[in-house]
Amino acid sequence: MAARRGDEVVVHERFEAPRPVGSGFLLQPTGLAVLAALGLEASVRTRGAVIRRLYGERARIGQAVLDVAYADLRGGETALGLHRASLFEVLYAACLEAGVRFETGFEVAGRADGRFEAKDGRRSAQFDLLVDALGTRSPFCGMRRDLSFGALWATVPLGDGFMGDALEQRYQAARLMAGVLPHGAAPGIEGPSATFFWSLKPEHYAAWRAEGLEAWKADVIGLWPETERLLAAITDPGQMIPARYAHSTRASMTEPGLAVIGDAAHSTSPQLGQGVNMGLLDAWALDRALAEHRDLDAALTVYAGSRWLHVRLYQALSWAFTPFYQSDDPIRPAIRDHILGWISRIPPSPRLLAATVAGLLIDPRKSLGI
């Protein structure tokens, strides 16, 4: 966005060659609106899978305890399951076309005097504005609380036995959770693909590897028998990528000469599926503020103010909802199973739930001019 406006933009990248990392995620109507405004929505839609529903049930019992339909939104919007490599391809090509330069092999460790400082001691050129998009582990992030649960993620062929247009999950209380997210294309996979994820505490990762794949697969199949064919594609523990979740919300998304976007500004668990979408909204809001206020201090003040309410609402919601799906707490999963599931079917709950997961509980698009 900034390069298209004529600013000189340099991305400092720790890899020697830019490349995608990670697996699938949900592009919500908010993130899709940003990409549409950039003329990139059609490109990502050809690579992704339309998601119309979020569905979860108690394992072995078959009782639905989560059933959110995007059709309950007033506009009838849907989400898009997408592999990170697909979004990377689209954004990287757009950056190159706009004239963005990439300085690779530069792992940012600090900053001073309008320059980034690399781990190996190098310093970047001097810039009017530095943007921290380094994610949850950013060296500028400040206070961060690691959450007790993380997950293992793998990209696999989707196969039969799944809805195809829904994020599906199975739970045993909140201690065990498995999920399947369809996301269309993925590197190295022919036909429709999906991300499979499994809840795991980070400190249990070594024990998981020691247990062996076959023992673990038996546990998963016992929880969710339909995953047996899907798990056949996982033949090496290295295919399962461990992820640690953390929760942090910066007091301010700016400092003099610095703007912070995405997980570096507000990291949380992925339970509400907002991470990438919040980062896209941040990027849009920052560029809009820079375009409208060429005084940098004024632009940063406007940027931080434009994202304050939406960020804090969804940080609070994520903090509140995560223990219902990932925790050792026996009480909240019982409330989820026996009370929340029932309440969620009573109007206007379906619409409120759909708006919540879509990122539209307070719709940021109008206020941000998208």
Side-chain angles (χ1 to χ4, degrees):
M1 288 182 275
R4 285 177 176 181
R5 284 191 296 98
D7 288 340
E8 182 183 357
V9 181
V10 180
V11 173
H12 295 83
E13 167 59 57
R14 69 185 177 96
F15 291 123
E16 291 299 330
R19 62 182 175 88
V21 174
S23 49
F25 64 94
L26 275 175
L27 261 179
Q28 303 287 6
T30 50
L32 284 165
V34 174
L35 293 173
L38 296 176
L40 303 175
E41 182 186 15
S43 295
V44 297
R45 283 198 179 275
T46 61
R47 293 165 165 82
V50 173
I51 301 297
R52 296 183 172 86
R53 186 180 180 194
L54 274 60
Y55 179 79
E57 63 181 44
R58 295 172 69 187
R60 305 183 184 94
I61 297 175
Q63 174 195 354
V65 296
L66 174 71
D67 196 354
V68 180
Y70 285 88
D72 288 320
L73 295 171
R74 283 191 173 89
E77 297 167 288
T78 59
L80 189 74
L82 196 68
H83 195 278
R84 289 179 193 276
S86 298
L87 182 61
F88 172 84
E89 290 169 1
V90 171
L91 291 178
Y92 185 47
C95 285
L96 293 177
E97 183 181 358
V100 175
R101 290 196 298 113
F102 287 80
E103 185 166 340
T104 57
F106 193 107
E107 185 169 357
V108 175
R111 68 182 179 98
D113 303 322
R115 303 174 190 269
F116 280 128
E117 298 173 338
K119 211 169 187 178
D120 61 9
R122 286 180 295 154
R123 303 183 75 202
S124 74
Q126 191 170 41
F127 294 90
D128 298 307
L129 176 65
L130 301 177
V131 180
D132 176 8
L134 289 167
T136 300
R137 310 291 160 180
S138 166
F140 314 123
C141 191
M143 295 297 294
R144 180 185 71 239
R145 178 175 178 178
D146 286 327
L147 300 177
S148 58
F149 275 82
L152 297 172
W153 299 75
T155 302
V156 295
L158 179 58
D160 298 325
F162 301 95
M163 296 179 186
D165 63 351
L167 166 61
E168 297 182 66
Q169 297 176 333
R170 297 293 184 272
Y171 321 109
Q172 182 175 312
R175 296 185 303 277
L176 296 178
M177 178 177 68
V180 175
L181 171 64
H183 48 53
I189 295 179
E190 293 185 9
S193 64
T195 287
F196 173 77
F197 55 92
W198 175 261
S199 281
L200 189 74
K201 290 185 175 182
E203 62 265 29
H204 294 167
Y205 178 67
W208 173 83
R209 288 196 68 115
E211 179 186 29
L213 274 181
E214 294 310 312
W216 169 71
K217 287 182 180 182
D219 291 339
V220 178
I221 293 166
L223 188 80
W224 192 352
E226 290 80 4
T227 60
E228 183 171 6
R229 283 172 290 180
L230 179 150
L231 295 176
I234 302 173
T235 58
D236 186 310
Q239 292 175 255
M240 299 293 295
I241 308 301
R244 175 185 285 273
Y245 303 147
H247 189 99
S248 66
T249 310
R250 281 183 63 107
S252 174
M253 295 171 67
T254 66
E255 295 178 16
L258 177 73
V260 188
I261 67 175
D263 283 354
H266 40 72
S267 65
T268 186
S269 84
Q271 292 302 320
L272 285 180
Q274 300 301 315
V276 170
N277 303 280
M278 297 289 269
L280 288 168
L281 289 169
D282 293 346
W284 175 273
L286 174 60
D287 189 69
R288 184 169 184 250
L290 291 171
E292 295 178 357
H293 304 271
R294 295 308 288 179
D295 177 80
L296 185 57
D297 291 338
L300 292 180
T301 298
V302 169
Y303 161 61
S306 68
R307 293 295 294 132
W308 189 90
L309 182 59
H310 190 249
V311 164
R312 275 156 180 76
L313 172 64
Y314 273 88
Q315 289 295 97
L317 287 171
S318 181
W319 184 255
F321 277 113
T322 292
F324 287 87
Y325 296 92
Q326 282 189 306
S327 70
D328 291 317
D329 183 358
I331 303 300
R332 276 177 278 200
I335 295 172
R336 174 199 71 197
D337 296 344
H338 300 292
I339 299 176
L340 294 183
W342 172 71
I343 292 175
S344 69
R345 294 188 287 272
I346 302 173
S349 294
R351 179 170 291 175
L352 287 173
L353 282 171
T356 299
V357 301
L360 302 175
L361 197 57
I362 296 179
D363 192 342
R365 295 174 295 184
K366 185 175 181 180
S367 64
L368 293 178
I370 308 176

PDB file of all heavy atoms in Angstrom, residues 27-41 44-45 77-78 277 280-281 284 358 360 363-366 369-370:
ATOM      1  N   LEU A  27      -9.575 -16.597   6.534  1.00  0.00           N
ATOM      2  CA  LEU A  27      -9.732 -15.209   6.128  1.00  0.00           C
ATOM      3  C   LEU A  27     -11.189 -14.838   6.359  1.00  0.00           C
ATOM      4  O   LEU A  27     -12.094 -15.380   5.716  1.00  0.00           O
ATOM      5  CB  LEU A  27      -9.376 -15.039   4.659  1.00  0.00           C
ATOM      6  CG  LEU A  27      -7.986 -14.508   4.313  1.00  0.00           C
ATOM      7  CD1 LEU A  27      -7.824 -14.434   2.801  1.00  0.00           C
ATOM      8  CD2 LEU A  27      -7.725 -13.151   4.944  1.00  0.00           C
ATOM      9  N   GLN A  28     -11.421 -13.945   7.296  1.00  0.00           N
ATOM     10  CA  GLN A  28     -12.762 -13.521   7.634  1.00  0.00           C
ATOM     11  C   GLN A  28     -13.218 -12.403   6.685  1.00  0.00           C
ATOM     12  O   GLN A  28     -12.412 -11.856   5.910  1.00  0.00           O
ATOM     13  CB  GLN A  28     -12.793 -13.033   9.080  1.00  0.00           C
ATOM     14  CG  GLN A  28     -12.321 -14.051  10.100  1.00  0.00           C
ATOM     15  CD  GLN A  28     -13.304 -15.190  10.336  1.00  0.00           C
ATOM     16  OE1 GLN A  28     -14.326 -15.295   9.661  1.00  0.00           O
ATOM     17  NE2 GLN A  28     -12.993 -16.057  11.295  1.00  0.00           N
ATOM     18  N   PRO A  29     -14.493 -12.019   6.729  1.00  0.00           N
ATOM     19  CA  PRO A  29     -14.955 -10.911   5.886  1.00  0.00           C
ATOM     20  C   PRO A  29     -14.139  -9.635   6.062  1.00  0.00           C
ATOM     21  O   PRO A  29     -14.006  -8.856   5.110  1.00  0.00           O
ATOM     22  CB  PRO A  29     -16.401 -10.722   6.341  1.00  0.00           C
ATOM     23  CG  PRO A  29     -16.838 -12.087   6.768  1.00  0.00           C
ATOM     24  CD  PRO A  29     -15.626 -12.683   7.417  1.00  0.00           C
ATOM     25  N   THR A  30     -13.573  -9.407   7.246  1.00  0.00           N
ATOM     26  CA  THR A  30     -12.760  -8.206   7.461  1.00  0.00           C
ATOM     27  C   THR A  30     -11.476  -8.258   6.645  1.00  0.00           C
ATOM     28  O   THR A  30     -11.144  -7.315   5.925  1.00  0.00           O
ATOM     29  CB  THR A  30     -12.424  -8.066   8.953  1.00  0.00           C
ATOM     30  OG1 THR A  30     -11.891  -9.321   9.439  1.00  0.00           O
ATOM     31  CG2 THR A  30     -13.649  -7.701   9.763  1.00  0.00           C
ATOM     32  N   GLY A  31     -10.748  -9.375   6.735  1.00  0.00           N
ATOM     33  CA  GLY A  31      -9.521  -9.512   5.969  1.00  0.00           C
ATOM     34  C   GLY A  31      -9.781  -9.537   4.479  1.00  0.00           C
ATOM     35  O   GLY A  31      -9.023  -8.961   3.686  1.00  0.00           O
ATOM     36  N   LEU A  32     -10.861 -10.198   4.069  1.00  0.00           N
ATOM     37  CA  LEU A  32     -11.210 -10.240   2.653  1.00  0.00           C
ATOM     38  C   LEU A  32     -11.536  -8.848   2.125  1.00  0.00           C
ATOM     39  O   LEU A  32     -11.238  -8.525   0.973  1.00  0.00           O
ATOM     40  CB  LEU A  32     -12.401 -11.176   2.441  1.00  0.00           C
ATOM     41  CG  LEU A  32     -12.073 -12.674   2.508  1.00  0.00           C
ATOM     42  CD1 LEU A  32     -13.350 -13.494   2.648  1.00  0.00           C
ATOM     43  CD2 LEU A  32     -11.297 -13.107   1.267  1.00  0.00           C
ATOM     44  N   ALA A  33     -12.135  -7.998   2.969  1.00  0.00           N
ATOM     45  CA  ALA A  33     -12.457  -6.635   2.538  1.00  0.00           C
ATOM     46  C   ALA A  33     -11.191  -5.840   2.251  1.00  0.00           C
ATOM     47  O   ALA A  33     -11.137  -5.054   1.298  1.00  0.00           O
ATOM     48  CB  ALA A  33     -13.291  -5.934   3.615  1.00  0.00           C
ATOM     49  N   VAL A  34     -10.154  -6.033   3.073  1.00  0.00           N
ATOM     50  CA  VAL A  34      -8.884  -5.346   2.827  1.00  0.00           C
ATOM     51  C   VAL A  34      -8.290  -5.807   1.501  1.00  0.00           C
ATOM     52  O   VAL A  34      -7.854  -5.001   0.674  1.00  0.00           O
ATOM     53  CB  VAL A  34      -7.902  -5.582   3.983  1.00  0.00           C
ATOM     54  CG1 VAL A  34      -6.532  -4.994   3.663  1.00  0.00           C
ATOM     55  CG2 VAL A  34      -8.437  -4.972   5.281  1.00  0.00           C
ATOM     56  N   LEU A  35      -8.265  -7.122   1.288  1.00  0.00           N
ATOM     57  CA  LEU A  35      -7.695  -7.650   0.043  1.00  0.00           C
ATOM     58  C   LEU A  35      -8.512  -7.205  -1.169  1.00  0.00           C
ATOM     59  O   LEU A  35      -7.952  -6.932  -2.242  1.00  0.00           O
ATOM     60  CB  LEU A  35      -7.628  -9.169   0.113  1.00  0.00           C
ATOM     61  CG  LEU A  35      -6.649  -9.717   1.157  1.00  0.00           C
ATOM     62  CD1 LEU A  35      -6.773 -11.233   1.265  1.00  0.00           C
ATOM     63  CD2 LEU A  35      -5.215  -9.328   0.840  1.00  0.00           C
ATOM     64  N   ALA A  36      -9.836  -7.105  -1.015  1.00  0.00           N
ATOM     65  CA  ALA A  36     -10.671  -6.617  -2.111  1.00  0.00           C
ATOM     66  C   ALA A  36     -10.320  -5.170  -2.451  1.00  0.00           C
ATOM     67  O   ALA A  36     -10.242  -4.794  -3.626  1.00  0.00           O
ATOM     68  CB  ALA A  36     -12.148  -6.737  -1.745  1.00  0.00           C
ATOM     69  N   ALA A  37     -10.114  -4.355  -1.418  1.00  0.00           N
ATOM     70  CA  ALA A  37      -9.764  -2.956  -1.648  1.00  0.00           C
ATOM     71  C   ALA A  37      -8.420  -2.820  -2.352  1.00  0.00           C
ATOM     72  O   ALA A  37      -8.168  -1.833  -3.043  1.00  0.00           O
ATOM     73  CB  ALA A  37      -9.750  -2.204  -0.315  1.00  0.00           C
ATOM     74  N   LEU A  38      -7.550  -3.812  -2.190  1.00  0.00           N
ATOM     75  CA  LEU A  38      -6.239  -3.808  -2.839  1.00  0.00           C
ATOM     76  C   LEU A  38      -6.266  -4.471  -4.214  1.00  0.00           C
ATOM     77  O   LEU A  38      -5.235  -4.561  -4.888  1.00  0.00           O
ATOM     78  CB  LEU A  38      -5.219  -4.538  -1.957  1.00  0.00           C
ATOM     79  CG  LEU A  38      -4.928  -3.905  -0.596  1.00  0.00           C
ATOM     80  CD1 LEU A  38      -3.983  -4.785   0.201  1.00  0.00           C
ATOM     81  CD2 LEU A  38      -4.336  -2.523  -0.786  1.00  0.00           C
ATOM     82  N   GLY A  39      -7.436  -4.972  -4.613  1.00  0.00           N
ATOM     83  CA  GLY A  39      -7.538  -5.654  -5.893  1.00  0.00           C
ATOM     84  C   GLY A  39      -6.972  -7.051  -5.883  1.00  0.00           C
ATOM     85  O   GLY A  39      -6.638  -7.595  -6.945  1.00  0.00           O
ATOM     86  N   LEU A  40      -6.891  -7.674  -4.706  1.00  0.00           N
ATOM     87  CA  LEU A  40      -6.247  -8.984  -4.589  1.00  0.00           C
ATOM     88  C   LEU A  40      -7.206 -10.097  -4.172  1.00  0.00           C
ATOM     89  O   LEU A  40      -6.800 -11.252  -4.056  1.00  0.00           O
ATOM     90  CB  LEU A  40      -5.099  -8.908  -3.572  1.00  0.00           C
ATOM     91  CG  LEU A  40      -4.018  -7.862  -3.845  1.00  0.00           C
ATOM     92  CD1 LEU A  40      -3.015  -7.824  -2.693  1.00  0.00           C
ATOM     93  CD2 LEU A  40      -3.317  -8.148  -5.164  1.00  0.00           C
ATOM     94  N   GLU A  41      -8.473  -9.768  -3.937  1.00  0.00           N
ATOM     95  CA  GLU A  41      -9.405 -10.775  -3.430  1.00  0.00           C
ATOM     96  C   GLU A  41      -9.598 -11.926  -4.411  1.00  0.00           C
ATOM     97  O   GLU A  41      -9.611 -13.096  -4.012  1.00  0.00           O
ATOM     98  CB  GLU A  41     -10.758 -10.135  -3.105  1.00  0.00           C
ATOM     99  CG  GLU A  41     -11.763 -11.136  -2.526  1.00  0.00           C
ATOM    100  CD  GLU A  41     -13.140 -10.551  -2.332  1.00  0.00           C
ATOM    101  OE1 GLU A  41     -13.428  -9.475  -2.892  1.00  0.00           O
ATOM    102  OE2 GLU A  41     -13.952 -11.185  -1.635  1.00  0.00           O
ATOM    103  N   VAL A  44      -6.827 -14.574  -4.213  1.00  0.00           N
ATOM    104  CA  VAL A  44      -6.820 -15.494  -3.078  1.00  0.00           C
ATOM    105  C   VAL A  44      -8.015 -16.440  -3.142  1.00  0.00           C
ATOM    106  O   VAL A  44      -7.904 -17.607  -2.734  1.00  0.00           O
ATOM    107  CB  VAL A  44      -6.775 -14.748  -1.717  1.00  0.00           C
ATOM    108  CG1 VAL A  44      -5.503 -13.952  -1.591  1.00  0.00           C
ATOM    109  CG2 VAL A  44      -7.988 -13.871  -1.504  1.00  0.00           C
ATOM    110  N   ARG A  45      -9.127 -15.972  -3.669  1.00  0.00           N
ATOM    111  CA  ARG A  45     -10.303 -16.852  -3.731  1.00  0.00           C
ATOM    112  C   ARG A  45     -10.063 -18.051  -4.646  1.00  0.00           C
ATOM    113  O   ARG A  45     -10.585 -19.138  -4.398  1.00  0.00           O
ATOM    114  CB  ARG A  45     -11.534 -16.071  -4.184  1.00  0.00           C
ATOM    115  CG  ARG A  45     -12.135 -15.200  -3.078  1.00  0.00           C
ATOM    116  CD  ARG A  45     -13.557 -14.780  -3.389  1.00  0.00           C
ATOM    117  NE  ARG A  45     -14.137 -13.982  -2.329  1.00  0.00           N
ATOM    118  CZ  ARG A  45     -14.727 -14.501  -1.245  1.00  0.00           C
ATOM    119  NH1 ARG A  45     -14.791 -15.820  -1.089  1.00  0.00           N
ATOM    120  NH2 ARG A  45     -15.245 -13.720  -0.323  1.00  0.00           N
ATOM    121  N   GLU A  77     -22.281 -13.057   4.182  1.00  0.00           N
ATOM    122  CA  GLU A  77     -20.875 -13.231   3.835  1.00  0.00           C
ATOM    123  C   GLU A  77     -20.345 -14.575   4.338  1.00  0.00           C
ATOM    124  O   GLU A  77     -20.935 -15.197   5.219  1.00  0.00           O
ATOM    125  CB  GLU A  77     -20.056 -12.080   4.427  1.00  0.00           C
ATOM    126  CG  GLU A  77     -20.439 -10.722   3.854  1.00  0.00           C
ATOM    127  CD  GLU A  77     -19.848  -9.584   4.651  1.00  0.00           C
ATOM    128  OE1 GLU A  77     -20.312  -9.345   5.779  1.00  0.00           O
ATOM    129  OE2 GLU A  77     -18.934  -8.924   4.141  1.00  0.00           O
ATOM    130  N   THR A  78     -19.218 -14.999   3.783  1.00  0.00           N
ATOM    131  CA  THR A  78     -18.569 -16.227   4.202  1.00  0.00           C
ATOM    132  C   THR A  78     -17.105 -15.951   4.501  1.00  0.00           C
ATOM    133  O   THR A  78     -16.591 -14.861   4.223  1.00  0.00           O
ATOM    134  CB  THR A  78     -18.645 -17.307   3.101  1.00  0.00           C
ATOM    135  OG1 THR A  78     -18.014 -16.809   1.916  1.00  0.00           O
ATOM    136  CG2 THR A  78     -20.090 -17.674   2.800  1.00  0.00           C
ATOM    137  N   ASN A 277      -6.435 -11.567   9.981  1.00  0.00           N
ATOM    138  CA  ASN A 277      -7.388 -10.517   9.647  1.00  0.00           C
ATOM    139  C   ASN A 277      -7.103  -9.232  10.420  1.00  0.00           C
ATOM    140  O   ASN A 277      -7.191  -8.128   9.857  1.00  0.00           O
ATOM    141  CB  ASN A 277      -8.799 -11.011   9.946  1.00  0.00           C
ATOM    142  CG  ASN A 277      -9.123 -12.287   9.195  1.00  0.00           C
ATOM    143  OD1 ASN A 277      -9.452 -12.268   8.023  1.00  0.00           O
ATOM    144  ND2 ASN A 277      -8.992 -13.432   9.864  1.00  0.00           N
ATOM    145  N   LEU A 280      -4.160  -7.548   8.754  1.00  0.00           N
ATOM    146  CA  LEU A 280      -4.539  -6.857   7.531  1.00  0.00           C
ATOM    147  C   LEU A 280      -5.256  -5.548   7.841  1.00  0.00           C
ATOM    148  O   LEU A 280      -5.018  -4.516   7.190  1.00  0.00           O
ATOM    149  CB  LEU A 280      -5.421  -7.759   6.673  1.00  0.00           C
ATOM    150  CG  LEU A 280      -4.714  -8.929   5.987  1.00  0.00           C
ATOM    151  CD1 LEU A 280      -5.732  -9.911   5.409  1.00  0.00           C
ATOM    152  CD2 LEU A 280      -3.785  -8.441   4.886  1.00  0.00           C
ATOM    153  N   LEU A 281      -6.146  -5.570   8.834  1.00  0.00           N
ATOM    154  CA  LEU A 281      -6.825  -4.341   9.241  1.00  0.00           C
ATOM    155  C   LEU A 281      -5.833  -3.308   9.767  1.00  0.00           C
ATOM    156  O   LEU A 281      -5.944  -2.112   9.468  1.00  0.00           O
ATOM    157  CB  LEU A 281      -7.881  -4.650  10.308  1.00  0.00           C
ATOM    158  CG  LEU A 281      -9.119  -5.403   9.844  1.00  0.00           C
ATOM    159  CD1 LEU A 281      -9.934  -5.883  11.042  1.00  0.00           C
ATOM    160  CD2 LEU A 281      -9.990  -4.526   8.936  1.00  0.00           C
ATOM    161  N   TRP A 284      -3.999  -1.762   6.804  1.00  0.00           N
ATOM    162  CA  TRP A 284      -4.863  -0.810   6.099  1.00  0.00           C
ATOM    163  C   TRP A 284      -4.985   0.491   6.899  1.00  0.00           C
ATOM    164  O   TRP A 284      -4.867   1.593   6.334  1.00  0.00           O
ATOM    165  CB  TRP A 284      -6.242  -1.419   5.871  1.00  0.00           C
ATOM    166  CG  TRP A 284      -7.204  -0.448   5.254  1.00  0.00           C
ATOM    167  CD1 TRP A 284      -8.009   0.448   5.898  1.00  0.00           C
ATOM    168  CD2 TRP A 284      -7.429  -0.256   3.857  1.00  0.00           C
ATOM    169  NE1 TRP A 284      -8.728   1.185   4.999  1.00  0.00           N
ATOM    170  CE2 TRP A 284      -8.389   0.770   3.737  1.00  0.00           C
ATOM    171  CE3 TRP A 284      -6.928  -0.852   2.712  1.00  0.00           C
ATOM    172  CZ2 TRP A 284      -8.855   1.214   2.494  1.00  0.00           C
ATOM    173  CZ3 TRP A 284      -7.385  -0.408   1.483  1.00  0.00           C
ATOM    174  CH2 TRP A 284      -8.342   0.611   1.380  1.00  0.00           C
ATOM    175  N   ALA A 358     -16.794 -13.634  12.668  1.00  0.00           N
ATOM    176  CA  ALA A 358     -16.468 -12.950  11.415  1.00  0.00           C
ATOM    177  C   ALA A 358     -15.673 -11.671  11.648  1.00  0.00           C
ATOM    178  O   ALA A 358     -15.248 -11.036  10.681  1.00  0.00           O
ATOM    179  CB  ALA A 358     -17.748 -12.629  10.644  1.00  0.00           C
ATOM    180  N   LEU A 360     -16.936  -9.010  13.065  1.00  0.00           N
ATOM    181  CA  LEU A 360     -17.849  -7.916  12.771  1.00  0.00           C
ATOM    182  C   LEU A 360     -18.718  -7.525  13.952  1.00  0.00           C
ATOM    183  O   LEU A 360     -19.721  -6.827  13.774  1.00  0.00           O
ATOM    184  CB  LEU A 360     -18.758  -8.306  11.592  1.00  0.00           C
ATOM    185  CG  LEU A 360     -18.059  -8.677  10.284  1.00  0.00           C
ATOM    186  CD1 LEU A 360     -19.074  -9.145   9.255  1.00  0.00           C
ATOM    187  CD2 LEU A 360     -17.245  -7.507   9.757  1.00  0.00           C
ATOM    188  N   ASP A 363     -18.164  -3.732  13.547  1.00  0.00           N
ATOM    189  CA  ASP A 363     -17.650  -3.803  12.175  1.00  0.00           C
ATOM    190  C   ASP A 363     -16.647  -2.682  11.935  1.00  0.00           C
ATOM    191  O   ASP A 363     -17.014  -1.508  11.930  1.00  0.00           O
ATOM    192  CB  ASP A 363     -18.811  -3.716  11.192  1.00  0.00           C
ATOM    193  CG  ASP A 363     -18.385  -4.067   9.774  1.00  0.00           C
ATOM    194  OD1 ASP A 363     -17.172  -4.051   9.487  1.00  0.00           O
ATOM    195  OD2 ASP A 363     -19.270  -4.373   8.957  1.00  0.00           O
ATOM    196  N   PRO A 364     -15.369  -3.016  11.734  1.00  0.00           N
ATOM    197  CA  PRO A 364     -14.355  -1.971  11.561  1.00  0.00           C
ATOM    198  C   PRO A 364     -14.278  -1.416  10.148  1.00  0.00           C
ATOM    199  O   PRO A 364     -13.571  -0.431   9.908  1.00  0.00           O
ATOM    200  CB  PRO A 364     -13.053  -2.697  11.922  1.00  0.00           C
ATOM    201  CG  PRO A 364     -13.302  -4.091  11.437  1.00  0.00           C
ATOM    202  CD  PRO A 364     -14.769  -4.369  11.687  1.00  0.00           C
ATOM    203  N   ARG A 365     -14.976  -2.010   9.212  1.00  0.00           N
ATOM    204  CA  ARG A 365     -14.779  -1.645   7.808  1.00  0.00           C
ATOM    205  C   ARG A 365     -15.247  -0.236   7.497  1.00  0.00           C
ATOM    206  O   ARG A 365     -14.537   0.512   6.793  1.00  0.00           O
ATOM    207  CB  ARG A 365     -15.485  -2.673   6.911  1.00  0.00           C
ATOM    208  CG  ARG A 365     -14.879  -4.069   7.025  1.00  0.00           C
ATOM    209  CD  ARG A 365     -15.689  -5.098   6.252  1.00  0.00           C
ATOM    210  NE  ARG A 365     -17.026  -5.270   6.801  1.00  0.00           N
ATOM    211  CZ  ARG A 365     -17.906  -6.172   6.361  1.00  0.00           C
ATOM    212  NH1 ARG A 365     -17.565  -6.963   5.363  1.00  0.00           N
ATOM    213  NH2 ARG A 365     -19.091  -6.280   6.908  1.00  0.00           N
ATOM    214  N   LYS A 366     -16.398   0.141   8.013  1.00  0.00           N
ATOM    215  CA  LYS A 366     -16.918   1.477   7.712  1.00  0.00           C
ATOM    216  C   LYS A 366     -16.034   2.557   8.316  1.00  0.00           C
ATOM    217  O   LYS A 366     -15.681   3.537   7.653  1.00  0.00           O
ATOM    218  CB  LYS A 366     -18.340   1.616   8.225  1.00  0.00           C
ATOM    219  CG  LYS A 366     -18.995   2.945   7.850  1.00  0.00           C
ATOM    220  CD  LYS A 366     -20.449   2.989   8.276  1.00  0.00           C
ATOM    221  CE  LYS A 366     -21.085   4.315   7.880  1.00  0.00           C
ATOM    222  NZ  LYS A 366     -22.515   4.397   8.281  1.00  0.00           N
ATOM    223  N   GLY A 369     -12.943   3.068   6.390  1.00  0.00           N
ATOM    224  CA  GLY A 369     -13.092   3.475   5.007  1.00  0.00           C
ATOM    225  C   GLY A 369     -12.795   2.370   4.006  1.00  0.00           C
ATOM    226  O   GLY A 369     -12.335   2.637   2.899  1.00  0.00           O
ATOM    227  N   ILE A 370     -13.068   1.115   4.369  1.00  0.00           N
ATOM    228  CA  ILE A 370     -12.859  -0.003   3.454  1.00  0.00           C
ATOM    229  C   ILE A 370     -14.153  -0.256   2.692  1.00  0.00           C
ATOM    230  O   ILE A 370     -15.141  -0.661   3.291  1.00  0.00           O
ATOM    231  CB  ILE A 370     -12.419  -1.283   4.209  1.00  0.00           C
ATOM    232  CG1 ILE A 370     -11.237  -0.987   5.113  1.00  0.00           C
ATOM    233  CG2 ILE A 370     -12.099  -2.396   3.237  1.00  0.00           C
ATOM    234  CD1 ILE A 370     -10.813  -2.169   5.949  1.00  0.00           C
TER     235      ILE A 370
END
